[in-house]
């Protein structure tokens, strides 16, 4: 585990250490999310767009399915979830 330190100004601003900026691939203007998880603050970069994920989930060994098949699969999953929770 690596620990990085910054200092907060009187206006509540801080500089993100260079190592953290590099790890998160942060650029000027990128948004940052602060998540409170049971008292622990997690910082995540919000600098990815949906288009950046294009092709990441492609599996050439899997057959393509139609939108109708997707809708049916989603409906079945919801029905199964409702029946389990019901």
């Amino acid at each position: 585990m690596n620990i990085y330190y910054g200092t907060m100004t009187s206006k509540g601003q801080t500089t993100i250490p260079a190592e953290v900026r590099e790890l998160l691939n942060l650029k000027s203007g990128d948004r940052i999310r602060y998540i409170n998880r049971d008292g622990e603050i997690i910082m995540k970069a919000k600098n990815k767009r949906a288009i950046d994920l294009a092709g990441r989930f492609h599996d050439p060994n899997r057959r393509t399915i139609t939108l109708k098949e997707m809708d049916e699969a989603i409906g079945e999953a919801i029905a199964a979830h409702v029946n389990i929770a019901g």
Side-chain angles (χ1 to χ4, degrees), residues 69-82:
E69 289 173 307
M70 279 188 224
D71 287 341
E72 289 172 356
I74 292 167
E76 290 170 8
I78 291 170
H81 178 75
V82 170

Side-chain angles (χ1 to χ4, degrees), residues 4-80:
Y4 305 98
Y5 292 94
T7 303
M8 187 166 43
T9 69
S10 61
K11 293 182 178 183
Q13 298 173 338
T14 184
T15 300
I16 299 170
E19 298 90 349
V20 175
R21 292 193 310 266
E22 289 173 16
L23 285 169
L24 295 176
N25 195 28
L26 288 172
K27 305 284 186 273
S28 178
D30 284 347
R31 295 185 51 86
I32 301 167
R33 293 179 287 170
Y34 297 91
I35 302 161
N36 182 347
R37 186 179 295 152
D38 299 323
E40 179 180 36
I41 300 299
I42 300 164
M43 185 175 100
K44 290 189 175 188
K46 190 171 192 247
N47 56 0
K48 300 280 188 254
R49 301 169 301 150
I51 194 69
D52 294 334
L53 300 175
R56 292 248 178 151
F57 304 106
H58 176 68
D59 181 354
N61 298 320
R62 181 178 287 172
R63 75 171 185 87
T64 57
I65 62 172
T66 66
L67 288 175
K68 182 179 177 186
E69 289 173 307
M70 279 188 224
D71 287 341
E72 289 172 356
I74 292 167
E76 290 170 8
I78 291 170

